[in-house]
Amino acid sequence: MELRTLRYFVAVAEELHFGRAATRLHMSQPPLSRAIKRLETEIGATLLDRSSAGVTLTPVGAVLLDEARALLDQADRVRVRVATAAGAATVTVGILGDSTDPGATRLAGAYHRRHPRVEVRIRETDLTDPTCGLHAGLVDIALTRGPFDETGLTVHELRADPMGALLRADDPLARRDRLKLADLADRRWFVFPEGTDPIWQSYWNGGEPREGPVVRAVQECQQAVLWNGTVGMTPLAHQPAEGLTVVPLIDMPPSRVVAAWNEGDTNPLIRSFVQIAITAYHD
């Protein structure tokens, strides 16, 4: 019974869908189905019931899922301990803009408790690089916000934040209890520099081309609004600077907080990071 096959089984058992599991594993569906069939033959029992209604775990499959998770977790721990003993246990984390997110704080504590001898290197980036250096090969994993060009990356959503319009406190629109993007159509927005990921730029400009001062950092966004009376978007939960306010934007999709890493990266430190992040951002 190979660890790789167990990873395949866990993916299918958690997704309860061969297509989604294949996508998660970055493989096509036929070899995944064959691998599960071979595993069932090896064990001598059916692990998954397949029907037109979908995929469900059999009682034997449920037992194997628990055991496989424990075994794979132990295997990852062994790899980490060996790498630590060899002096090679490091992980570089890219963080976008504001690193004071309480989810990131909880993640840092939990990751240190789980891997106290792993050196975590932090690379904080400005708003012009939503992948925090992933595409450039500068980090192993990024804590960032979507959407952006996901080519060659695996992206897992950790949280979705409602959005608001960032305004001067004395702006007439600041008296509203909610706004729509159309209410901001004739205003100048803060914008990101030329060459910034167009998917990212489009989201933060509400899907429309905008004109206004160029910004690169969270503080620059706030100062652009404070000094110039421009507008822009920010997560509703973000605390604005003095003299500014945030009004809910009811027709803007939420901002996705995500963990992103390179496709096919099997580093157990990254897998552990993602698992801990999922818990930390949902507490």
PDB file of all heavy atoms in Angstrom, residues 77 105-118 120 272 276 279-280 283:
ATOM      1  N   ARG A  77       5.433  14.223   9.193  1.00  0.00           N
ATOM      2  CA  ARG A  77       6.221  14.573  10.379  1.00  0.00           C
ATOM      3  C   ARG A  77       7.638  13.986  10.288  1.00  0.00           C
ATOM      4  O   ARG A  77       8.615  14.633  10.678  1.00  0.00           O
ATOM      5  CB  ARG A  77       5.531  14.069  11.650  1.00  0.00           C
ATOM      6  CG  ARG A  77       4.281  14.841  12.035  1.00  0.00           C
ATOM      7  CD  ARG A  77       3.579  14.153  13.205  1.00  0.00           C
ATOM      8  NE  ARG A  77       2.370  14.832  13.594  1.00  0.00           N
ATOM      9  CZ  ARG A  77       2.285  15.742  14.564  1.00  0.00           C
ATOM     10  NH1 ARG A  77       3.373  16.056  15.249  1.00  0.00           N
ATOM     11  NH2 ARG A  77       1.144  16.311  14.860  1.00  0.00           N
ATOM     12  N   THR A 105      -2.028  35.877  12.566  1.00  0.00           N
ATOM     13  CA  THR A 105      -1.429  35.806  13.900  1.00  0.00           C
ATOM     14  C   THR A 105      -1.677  34.444  14.532  1.00  0.00           C
ATOM     15  O   THR A 105      -0.772  33.833  15.115  1.00  0.00           O
ATOM     16  CB  THR A 105      -1.998  36.931  14.785  1.00  0.00           C
ATOM     17  OG1 THR A 105      -1.751  38.201  14.172  1.00  0.00           O
ATOM     18  CG2 THR A 105      -1.351  36.902  16.164  1.00  0.00           C
ATOM     19  N   ARG A 106      -2.919  33.960  14.419  1.00  0.00           N
ATOM     20  CA  ARG A 106      -3.235  32.624  14.956  1.00  0.00           C
ATOM     21  C   ARG A 106      -2.443  31.549  14.217  1.00  0.00           C
ATOM     22  O   ARG A 106      -1.946  30.588  14.824  1.00  0.00           O
ATOM     23  CB  ARG A 106      -4.736  32.346  14.834  1.00  0.00           C
ATOM     24  CG  ARG A 106      -5.602  33.171  15.773  1.00  0.00           C
ATOM     25  CD  ARG A 106      -7.028  32.650  15.805  1.00  0.00           C
ATOM     26  NE  ARG A 106      -7.685  32.801  14.516  1.00  0.00           N
ATOM     27  CZ  ARG A 106      -8.403  33.867  14.163  1.00  0.00           C
ATOM     28  NH1 ARG A 106      -8.535  34.888  14.997  1.00  0.00           N
ATOM     29  NH2 ARG A 106      -8.995  33.923  12.984  1.00  0.00           N
ATOM     30  N   LEU A 107      -2.310  31.699  12.903  1.00  0.00           N
ATOM     31  CA  LEU A 107      -1.564  30.740  12.101  1.00  0.00           C
ATOM     32  C   LEU A 107      -0.105  30.686  12.530  1.00  0.00           C
ATOM     33  O   LEU A 107       0.476  29.603  12.663  1.00  0.00           O
ATOM     34  CB  LEU A 107      -1.670  31.109  10.620  1.00  0.00           C
ATOM     35  CG  LEU A 107      -0.761  30.375   9.637  1.00  0.00           C
ATOM     36  CD1 LEU A 107      -0.963  28.869   9.714  1.00  0.00           C
ATOM     37  CD2 LEU A 107      -1.027  30.870   8.212  1.00  0.00           C
ATOM     38  N   ALA A 108       0.497  31.845  12.754  1.00  0.00           N
ATOM     39  CA  ALA A 108       1.905  31.891  13.166  1.00  0.00           C
ATOM     40  C   ALA A 108       2.113  31.125  14.468  1.00  0.00           C
ATOM     41  O   ALA A 108       3.061  30.334  14.597  1.00  0.00           O
ATOM     42  CB  ALA A 108       2.362  33.342  13.315  1.00  0.00           C
ATOM     43  N   GLY A 109       1.221  31.336  15.436  1.00  0.00           N
ATOM     44  CA  GLY A 109       1.355  30.643  16.710  1.00  0.00           C
ATOM     45  C   GLY A 109       1.167  29.144  16.573  1.00  0.00           C
ATOM     46  O   GLY A 109       1.936  28.350  17.134  1.00  0.00           O
ATOM     47  N   ALA A 110       0.140  28.752  15.820  1.00  0.00           N
ATOM     48  CA  ALA A 110      -0.149  27.324  15.671  1.00  0.00           C
ATOM     49  C   ALA A 110       0.954  26.617  14.892  1.00  0.00           C
ATOM     50  O   ALA A 110       1.322  25.481  15.209  1.00  0.00           O
ATOM     51  CB  ALA A 110      -1.493  27.142  14.969  1.00  0.00           C
ATOM     52  N   TYR A 111       1.495  27.291  13.872  1.00  0.00           N
ATOM     53  CA  TYR A 111       2.550  26.658  13.071  1.00  0.00           C
ATOM     54  C   TYR A 111       3.824  26.483  13.900  1.00  0.00           C
ATOM     55  O   TYR A 111       4.506  25.458  13.803  1.00  0.00           O
ATOM     56  CB  TYR A 111       2.834  27.479  11.819  1.00  0.00           C
ATOM     57  CG  TYR A 111       3.593  26.713  10.752  1.00  0.00           C
ATOM     58  CD1 TYR A 111       2.931  25.788   9.950  1.00  0.00           C
ATOM     59  CD2 TYR A 111       4.956  26.906  10.555  1.00  0.00           C
ATOM     60  CE1 TYR A 111       3.614  25.077   8.977  1.00  0.00           C
ATOM     61  CE2 TYR A 111       5.639  26.195   9.590  1.00  0.00           C
ATOM     62  CZ  TYR A 111       4.968  25.286   8.795  1.00  0.00           C
ATOM     63  OH  TYR A 111       5.652  24.574   7.832  1.00  0.00           O
ATOM     64  N   HIS A 112       4.121  27.482  14.726  1.00  0.00           N
ATOM     65  CA  HIS A 112       5.317  27.368  15.571  1.00  0.00           C
ATOM     66  C   HIS A 112       5.154  26.235  16.590  1.00  0.00           C
ATOM     67  O   HIS A 112       6.115  25.501  16.862  1.00  0.00           O
ATOM     68  CB  HIS A 112       5.575  28.686  16.292  1.00  0.00           C
ATOM     69  CG  HIS A 112       6.752  28.637  17.222  1.00  0.00           C
ATOM     70  ND1 HIS A 112       8.055  28.557  16.774  1.00  0.00           N
ATOM     71  CD2 HIS A 112       6.820  28.631  18.575  1.00  0.00           C
ATOM     72  CE1 HIS A 112       8.874  28.504  17.807  1.00  0.00           C
ATOM     73  NE2 HIS A 112       8.153  28.542  18.905  1.00  0.00           N
ATOM     74  N   ARG A 113       3.962  26.098  17.141  1.00  0.00           N
ATOM     75  CA  ARG A 113       3.739  25.004  18.094  1.00  0.00           C
ATOM     76  C   ARG A 113       3.860  23.650  17.407  1.00  0.00           C
ATOM     77  O   ARG A 113       4.387  22.698  18.004  1.00  0.00           O
ATOM     78  CB  ARG A 113       2.355  25.147  18.745  1.00  0.00           C
ATOM     79  CG  ARG A 113       2.248  26.302  19.723  1.00  0.00           C
ATOM     80  CD  ARG A 113       0.957  26.247  20.532  1.00  0.00           C
ATOM     81  NE  ARG A 113      -0.226  26.430  19.689  1.00  0.00           N
ATOM     82  CZ  ARG A 113      -0.740  27.621  19.385  1.00  0.00           C
ATOM     83  NH1 ARG A 113      -0.168  28.726  19.817  1.00  0.00           N
ATOM     84  NH2 ARG A 113      -1.830  27.696  18.634  1.00  0.00           N
ATOM     85  N   ARG A 114       3.417  23.562  16.179  1.00  0.00           N
ATOM     86  CA  ARG A 114       3.478  22.288  15.453  1.00  0.00           C
ATOM     87  C   ARG A 114       4.893  21.995  14.974  1.00  0.00           C
ATOM     88  O   ARG A 114       5.336  20.839  14.983  1.00  0.00           O
ATOM     89  CB  ARG A 114       2.516  22.351  14.257  1.00  0.00           C
ATOM     90  CG  ARG A 114       2.499  21.111  13.366  1.00  0.00           C
ATOM     91  CD  ARG A 114       1.834  19.932  14.056  1.00  0.00           C
ATOM     92  NE  ARG A 114       1.720  18.793  13.177  1.00  0.00           N
ATOM     93  CZ  ARG A 114       0.722  18.576  12.330  1.00  0.00           C
ATOM     94  NH1 ARG A 114      -0.275  19.465  12.256  1.00  0.00           N
ATOM     95  NH2 ARG A 114       0.691  17.518  11.588  1.00  0.00           N
ATOM     96  N   HIS A 115       5.613  23.029  14.531  1.00  0.00           N
ATOM     97  CA  HIS A 115       6.959  22.839  13.970  1.00  0.00           C
ATOM     98  C   HIS A 115       7.938  23.817  14.631  1.00  0.00           C
ATOM     99  O   HIS A 115       8.411  24.760  13.994  1.00  0.00           O
ATOM    100  CB  HIS A 115       6.942  23.072  12.455  1.00  0.00           C
ATOM    101  CG  HIS A 115       5.977  22.208  11.703  1.00  0.00           C
ATOM    102  ND1 HIS A 115       6.111  20.838  11.638  1.00  0.00           N
ATOM    103  CD2 HIS A 115       4.862  22.521  11.006  1.00  0.00           C
ATOM    104  CE1 HIS A 115       5.123  20.339  10.904  1.00  0.00           C
ATOM    105  NE2 HIS A 115       4.356  21.333  10.512  1.00  0.00           N
ATOM    106  N   PRO A 116       8.248  23.616  15.906  1.00  0.00           N
ATOM    107  CA  PRO A 116       9.054  24.604  16.636  1.00  0.00           C
ATOM    108  C   PRO A 116      10.474  24.766  16.108  1.00  0.00           C
ATOM    109  O   PRO A 116      11.100  25.797  16.365  1.00  0.00           O
ATOM    110  CB  PRO A 116       9.042  24.065  18.077  1.00  0.00           C
ATOM    111  CG  PRO A 116       8.768  22.597  17.938  1.00  0.00           C
ATOM    112  CD  PRO A 116       7.852  22.486  16.771  1.00  0.00           C
ATOM    113  N   ARG A 117      10.988  23.777  15.370  1.00  0.00           N
ATOM    114  CA  ARG A 117      12.375  23.872  14.900  1.00  0.00           C
ATOM    115  C   ARG A 117      12.464  24.262  13.430  1.00  0.00           C
ATOM    116  O   ARG A 117      13.548  24.297  12.853  1.00  0.00           O
ATOM    117  CB  ARG A 117      13.080  22.526  15.125  1.00  0.00           C
ATOM    118  CG  ARG A 117      13.159  22.138  16.608  1.00  0.00           C
ATOM    119  CD  ARG A 117      13.903  20.844  16.807  1.00  0.00           C
ATOM    120  NE  ARG A 117      15.282  20.925  16.364  1.00  0.00           N
ATOM    121  CZ  ARG A 117      16.101  19.895  16.259  1.00  0.00           C
ATOM    122  NH1 ARG A 117      15.649  18.673  16.563  1.00  0.00           N
ATOM    123  NH2 ARG A 117      17.340  20.040  15.858  1.00  0.00           N
ATOM    124  N   VAL A 118      11.329  24.582  12.827  1.00  0.00           N
ATOM    125  CA  VAL A 118      11.326  25.027  11.429  1.00  0.00           C
ATOM    126  C   VAL A 118      11.514  26.540  11.385  1.00  0.00           C
ATOM    127  O   VAL A 118      10.842  27.285  12.094  1.00  0.00           O
ATOM    128  CB  VAL A 118      10.009  24.637  10.724  1.00  0.00           C
ATOM    129  CG1 VAL A 118       9.929  25.265   9.334  1.00  0.00           C
ATOM    130  CG2 VAL A 118       9.901  23.118  10.622  1.00  0.00           C
ATOM    131  N   VAL A 120      10.829  29.899   9.734  1.00  0.00           N
ATOM    132  CA  VAL A 120       9.873  30.520   8.815  1.00  0.00           C
ATOM    133  C   VAL A 120      10.414  31.891   8.415  1.00  0.00           C
ATOM    134  O   VAL A 120      10.627  32.764   9.264  1.00  0.00           O
ATOM    135  CB  VAL A 120       8.485  30.665   9.470  1.00  0.00           C
ATOM    136  CG1 VAL A 120       7.513  31.323   8.497  1.00  0.00           C
ATOM    137  CG2 VAL A 120       7.959  29.300   9.911  1.00  0.00           C
ATOM    138  N   SER A 272       1.368  21.049   5.619  1.00  0.00           N
ATOM    139  CA  SER A 272       1.045  21.309   7.016  1.00  0.00           C
ATOM    140  C   SER A 272       0.611  22.761   7.204  1.00  0.00           C
ATOM    141  O   SER A 272      -0.338  23.049   7.942  1.00  0.00           O
ATOM    142  CB  SER A 272       2.251  20.991   7.900  1.00  0.00           C
ATOM    143  OG  SER A 272       1.979  21.239   9.251  1.00  0.00           O
ATOM    144  N   ILE A 276      -3.020  23.908   8.766  1.00  0.00           N
ATOM    145  CA  ILE A 276      -3.109  24.749   9.956  1.00  0.00           C
ATOM    146  C   ILE A 276      -3.796  26.069   9.627  1.00  0.00           C
ATOM    147  O   ILE A 276      -4.580  26.598  10.421  1.00  0.00           O
ATOM    148  CB  ILE A 276      -1.701  24.983  10.551  1.00  0.00           C
ATOM    149  CG1 ILE A 276      -1.104  23.656  11.028  1.00  0.00           C
ATOM    150  CG2 ILE A 276      -1.755  25.977  11.712  1.00  0.00           C
ATOM    151  CD1 ILE A 276       0.362  23.729  11.389  1.00  0.00           C
ATOM    152  N   THR A 279      -7.646  25.955   9.681  1.00  0.00           N
ATOM    153  CA  THR A 279      -8.187  26.046  11.039  1.00  0.00           C
ATOM    154  C   THR A 279      -8.056  27.450  11.601  1.00  0.00           C
ATOM    155  O   THR A 279      -8.999  28.010  12.177  1.00  0.00           O
ATOM    156  CB  THR A 279      -7.490  25.038  11.957  1.00  0.00           C
ATOM    157  OG1 THR A 279      -7.682  23.710  11.462  1.00  0.00           O
ATOM    158  CG2 THR A 279      -8.026  25.137  13.385  1.00  0.00           C
ATOM    159  N   ALA A 280      -6.878  28.055  11.417  1.00  0.00           N
ATOM    160  CA  ALA A 280      -6.606  29.367  11.997  1.00  0.00           C
ATOM    161  C   ALA A 280      -7.538  30.435  11.452  1.00  0.00           C
ATOM    162  O   ALA A 280      -7.979  31.337  12.188  1.00  0.00           O
ATOM    163  CB  ALA A 280      -5.146  29.773  11.734  1.00  0.00           C
ATOM    164  N   ASP A 283     -11.286  30.075  12.943  1.00  0.00           N
ATOM    165  CA  ASP A 283     -11.523  30.198  14.388  1.00  0.00           C
ATOM    166  C   ASP A 283     -12.227  31.521  14.711  1.00  0.00           C
ATOM    167  O   ASP A 283     -12.025  32.506  14.026  1.00  0.00           O
ATOM    168  CB  ASP A 283     -10.196  30.122  15.147  1.00  0.00           C
ATOM    169  CG  ASP A 283      -9.672  28.705  15.250  1.00  0.00           C
ATOM    170  OD1 ASP A 283     -10.437  27.777  14.917  1.00  0.00           O
ATOM    171  OD2 ASP A 283      -8.507  28.529  15.659  1.00  0.00           O
TER     172      ASP A 283
END
